[in-house]
Amino acid sequence: MSLFYESKNIYENKQELPAIFEAAAGYMDFMKHCKTERSCTAYFKKKAEEHGFLPLEKGKRLQAGDKFYIINRGRAIYLGIKGKLPESEGIHIAAAHIDSPRIDLKPCPLYESEELALLKTHYYGGIKKYQWTTIPLALEGIVILEDGTTVDLSGNDYTFCISELLIHLSRKEMEKTASKVIEGENLRVIAGHIPDMEADKDKVKSAVLTLLHEKYGIKEKDFISAELSLVPKFDPAELGFDKSLIAAYGHDDRICAYTAFEALMQIEDAPEHTALVALVDKEETGSQGVSGMQSEFLELVVSRIAPEESILEIFNASKCLSADVNAAFDPLYPAPTEKQNCCRLSHGPCITKYTGAGGKSGTSDATAETMHYFTKLFDENGIRWQTGLLGAVDAGGGGTVAKFMGNRNIDTVDIGIGLLSMHAPLEIASKADIYETIRAFASFLK
Ligand code: MN
Ligand code: MN
């Protein structure tokens, strides 16, 4: 018997490599196609239907084992399986977010300057702005036309880019701090260059509008009723000679959303407790709004699952894994982390008692009892897990949806996969962690 706590690198066991790589292949395929909350929602709906999940409709009675899903405004999806126990005995919830940092178009984005058509943007979520220039960007999202038709631009083959000043002429720029070197209003995207010589004014803008109108029926006014985002235009890639890691845009937090979803899909028989996977929007901006975790859409979902029971009693008995990514130890940047209390790539899902900043400000801080419940559950199911905090004290900080579940009187703990380069256009995650996190969610939801 060892008296020491120690987490282990899952890759030490080579026998599991085929299973790990297989789980990662499914994830990479998902990540290739899903770069916004709307595309994730559509993907999960389609896959869930293939697994026999049906819409959770108003007034419909569920039986134990019934598989259901419900979509919130195209931007969030809740999926679950009715358990054998009544919901007043508690629901087992896994909550993750499917929005990621990116660059949104402003409602009036298009203008022309010096024979270039440009798009004005407003970045979404916490980004190092200088990381988003001079990389290929894809345009994703929807536009609702005057007549009500929805045009989905996802999957188009356009490429966009934000230019940056050449090094030769950057003497003044190089003296600026990193937060100032690229300003928010300079995150403008090149959108066209060929002029329409028939137009009276703004000849390039006019040509772009003609192109959009001919192809999609879009007029300039329609950008106002749209959700259009620029996201990195790279496919996920296996990283390193051994292909052990995955570089991709949007691991935060699609890696937790996907692993929770996959775990739910693996459940065949009715679980003891009703299982619910909440894949929500707007975490990167504070979880507010109709499609975020603070929305009472969760209450609507629970009232449809258990119409005759008190939501307060259900929440009081429920447990939640707030699934979100964490900062893995990076040998290039050891200072802002604290080695003994941080997660490592490939050591399995990381359980985090509290997040927040400064003196734990803005945290949910799981109870010792909740920590014990989950560490014991994972130990009993042979899950390789680790514990870690988001950085050293006073290094910075961050939050997740945990506090919004805690505020609802649901016992909640944070769990997630450690990343390198979180919130960069290309984030790094381990295949081994994807494999083990699916197993961890399955042990809780089954
Ligand atoms: Mn996150
Ligand atoms: Mn984030």
Side-chain angles (χ1 to χ4, degrees), residues 251-373:
H251 283 314
D252 177 9
D253 184 34
R254 297 185 187 121
I255 199 165
C256 294
Y258 179 85
T259 47
F261 175 85
E262 275 297 302
L264 188 73
M265 292 304 115
Q266 289 174 5
I267 297 172
E268 295 291 342
D269 305 319
E272 288 299 304
H273 294 266
T274 292
L276 184 65
V277 172
L279 305 176
V280 297
D281 180 30
K282 294 288 168 284
E283 193 280 336
E284 295 297 355
T285 54
S287 299
Q288 283 102 341
V290 282
S291 49
M293 198 69 255
Q294 295 198 62
S295 162
E296 288 192 23
F297 194 83
L298 173 64
E299 281 72 7
L300 176 79
V301 173
V302 173
S303 73
R304 286 201 184 172
I305 299 168
E308 268 133 43
E309 297 193 63
S310 148
I311 289 181
L312 290 177
E313 293 293 348
I314 294 172
F315 283 169
N316 188 47
S318 293
K319 288 193 168 58
C320 175
L321 284 174
S322 161
D324 207 342
V325 294
N326 207 316
F329 185 79
D330 186 336
L332 300 187
Y333 298 94
T337 38
E338 190 265 291
K339 256 186 159 177
Q340 190 167 315
N341 284 283
C342 86
C343 67
R344 274 152 209 289
L345 291 175
S346 310
H347 283 228
C350 175
I351 305 171
T352 299
K353 189 172 185 298
Y354 54 86
T355 59
K360 300 191 181 179
S361 170
T363 186
S364 145
D365 208 343
T367 61
E369 291 85 351
T370 307
M371 292 299 285
H372 177 258
Y373 172 86

Side-chain angles (χ1 to χ4, degrees), residues 122-153:
H122 199 143
Y123 64 96
Y124 173 92
I127 61 168
K128 291 181 171 178
K129 291 187 272 280
Y130 61 80
Q131 293 179 329
W132 293 72
T133 63
T134 64
I135 58 168
L137 297 167
L139 184 67
E140 299 259 335
I142 59 160
V143 181
I144 302 179
L145 309 182
E146 214 166 79
D147 68 0
T149 314
T150 299
V151 177
D152 190 346
L153 285 173

Side-chain angles (χ1 to χ4, degrees), residues 114-127:
E114 302 300 324
E115 301 179 324
L116 283 176
L118 292 148
L119 296 168
K120 297 189 177 188
T121 70
H122 199 143
Y123 64 96
Y124 173 92
I127 61 168

Side-chain angles (χ1 to χ4, degrees), residues 23-209:
Y27 174 65
M28 288 177 71
D29 182 61
F30 158 71
M31 290 293 273
K32 189 174 172 179
H33 300 105
C34 299
K35 291 180 175 175
T36 64
E37 58 276 7
R38 282 185 185 270
S39 52
C40 289
T41 297
Y43 174 95
F44 289 132
K45 172 183 185 278
K46 186 167 171 280
K47 287 278 168 180
E49 283 173 344
E50 288 167 17
H51 281 87
F53 283 67
L54 297 169
L56 178 64
E57 283 155 2
K58 190 176 165 185
K60 189 166 125 186
R61 283 306 190 101
L62 294 176
Q63 306 295 326
D66 280 356
K67 299 174 175 181
F68 58 86
Y69 73 85
I70 179 167
I71 289 174
N72 183 4
R73 294 168 172 86
R75 294 166 164 182
I77 184 167
Y78 294 65
L79 311 107
I81 305 176
K82 173 95 170 164
K84 292 180 207 153
L85 293 169
E87 280 69 25
S88 56
E89 298 289 318
I91 296 180
H92 284 194
I93 306 168
H97 68 94
I98 49 179
D99 60 317
S100 298
R102 61 175 186 239
I103 298 174
D104 287 343
L105 293 197
K106 285 189 181 185
C108 297
L110 186 61
Y111 75 107
E112 174 173 342
S113 179
E114 302 300 324
E115 301 179 324
L116 283 176
L118 292 148
L119 296 168
K120 297 189 177 188
T121 70
H122 199 143
Y123 64 96
Y124 173 92
I127 61 168
K128 291 181 171 178
K129 291 187 272 280
Y130 61 80
Q131 293 179 329
W132 293 72
T133 63
T134 64
I135 58 168
L137 297 167
L139 184 67
E140 299 259 335
I142 59 160
V143 181
I144 302 179
L145 309 182
E146 214 166 79
D147 68 0
T149 314
T150 299
V151 177
D152 190 346
L153 285 173
S154 305
N156 63 66
D157 65 351
Y158 305 121
T159 305
F160 299 88
C161 189
I162 299 165
S163 67
E164 199 184 324
L165 191 63
L166 63 167
I167 182 67
H168 315 66
L169 303 181
S170 291
R171 194 171 293 168
K172 224 173 116 194
E173 298 296 310
M174 297 303 280
E175 284 163 14
K176 292 184 181 174
T177 57
S179 64
K180 287 277 182 236
V181 68
I182 301 295
E183 304 268 7
E185 281 296 351
N186 248 14
L187 291 177
R188 292 187 179 174
V189 174
I190 297 170
H193 180 51
I194 300 174
D196 172 2
M197 294 318 288
E198 314 273 278
D200 309 332
K201 55 164 192 175
D202 289 346
K203 294 185 185 331
V204 182
K205 173 175 170 175
S206 180
V208 167
L209 282 173

